[in-house]
């Protein structure tokens, strides 16, 4: 006999609350509140992502918003069977070509140092230290939202929220 849907949801919520409590009491997650951890877990659950994957680098809370890491974006897109190819990744630009497996839609997206400068991003220490990675993160999150919103939701990357 299966439980009614509302009872199943309550059980899932109780389970996630207990996980959040345990995690918040550990040293690994000591900078996060129980409610922040639960928020990440619930956001992950909406997308079919495990709670532990969410709190172990998959999701972040930045300026009060839940953000998905670009690594998790790429992981989910590839697991869904779509193609992502990094065509260029230099300190000057990143180009990603992506193709959907279901309908063949494609995009080639470029994010350059000039784009980042025009957006006022390049003055931060992180952009100065890791220009290739920051350009990749911007390019990947844009590709993910434009072509694969059904896979990543409307998530911003953590770098975009910091910026």
């Amino acid at each position: 006999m299966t439980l009614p849907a509302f009872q199943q949801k309550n059980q899932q919520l109780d389970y996630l609350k207990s996980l959040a409590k345990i995690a918040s009491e550990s040293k690994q997650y000591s900078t996060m509140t129980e409610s922040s951890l639960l928020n990440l877990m619930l956001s992950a659950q909406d997308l079919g992502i495990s709670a532990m994957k969410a709190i172990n680098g998959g999701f972040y809370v930045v300026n009060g918003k839940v953000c998905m890491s670009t690594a998790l974006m790429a992981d989910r897109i590839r697991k869904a069977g779509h193609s992502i190819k990094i065509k260029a990744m230099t300190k000057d630009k990143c180009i990603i070509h992506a193709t959907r497996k279901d309908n063949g839609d494609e995009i080639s997206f470029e994010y350059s140092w000039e784009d980042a400068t025009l957006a006022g991003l390049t003055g931060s220490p992180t952009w100065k230290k890791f220009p290739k990675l920051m350009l990749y993160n911007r390019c990947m999150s844009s590709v993910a939202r434009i072509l694969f919103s059904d896979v990543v939701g409307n998530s911003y990357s953590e770098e975009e929220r910091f910026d």
Side-chain angles (χ1 to χ4, degrees):
M1 180 160 106
T2 58
L3 293 173
F6 76 92
Q7 285 181 318
Q8 288 178 355
K9 292 286 185 193
N10 284 341
Q11 282 184 344
Q12 290 173 341
L13 182 60
D14 289 342
Y15 170 71
L16 292 177
K17 282 181 180 178
S18 66
L19 280 180
K21 181 174 177 20
I22 292 166
S24 70
E25 292 171 354
S26 74
K27 290 180 182 177
Q28 183 177 1
Y29 306 102
S30 62
T31 61
M32 298 185 74
T33 65
E34 189 175 326
S35 58
S36 290
L37 289 161
L38 180 59
N39 194 11
L40 295 179
M41 291 175 185
L42 289 168
S43 296
Q45 184 180 43
D46 281 347
L47 293 169
I49 299 167
S50 77
M52 294 311 292
K53 192 176 235 185
I55 66 174
N56 285 319
F59 288 92
Y60 301 88
V61 177
V62 180
N63 298 327
K65 301 287 186 187
V66 175
C67 304
M68 185 184 292
S69 72
T70 51
L72 184 55
M73 288 178 182
D75 171 71
R76 291 192 42 84
I77 291 166
R78 287 187 171 117
K79 280 188 178 167
H82 306 298
S83 172
I84 305 168
K85 294 180 183 171
I86 301 167
K87 296 293 190 173
M89 189 172 158
T90 70
K91 65 180 178 58
D92 298 313
K93 69 181 174 184
C94 180
I95 302 170
I96 295 176
H97 183 84
T99 307
R100 290 191 62 93
K101 77 168 186 171
D102 54 358
N103 62 11
D105 285 356
E106 295 180 294
I107 189 173
S108 281
F109 193 86
E110 178 178 326
Y111 200 84
S112 68
W113 187 259
E114 182 180 348
D115 295 327
T117 301
L118 287 171
L121 304 174
T122 55
S124 80
T126 306
W127 275 87
K128 289 178 182 177
K129 289 179 189 173
F130 307 104
K132 288 181 192 178
L133 187 56
M134 297 305 287
L135 291 172
Y136 165 80
N137 287 335
R138 281 297 174 128
C139 196
M140 176 55 70
S141 62
S142 295
V143 167
R145 279 194 312 280
I146 292 167
L147 197 59
F148 305 109
S149 60
D150 58 320
V151 179
V152 301
N154 63 352
S155 297
Y156 280 88
S157 72
E158 67 277 17
E159 294 83 8
E160 290 173 307
R161 285 291 177 192
F162 279 121
D163 295 337

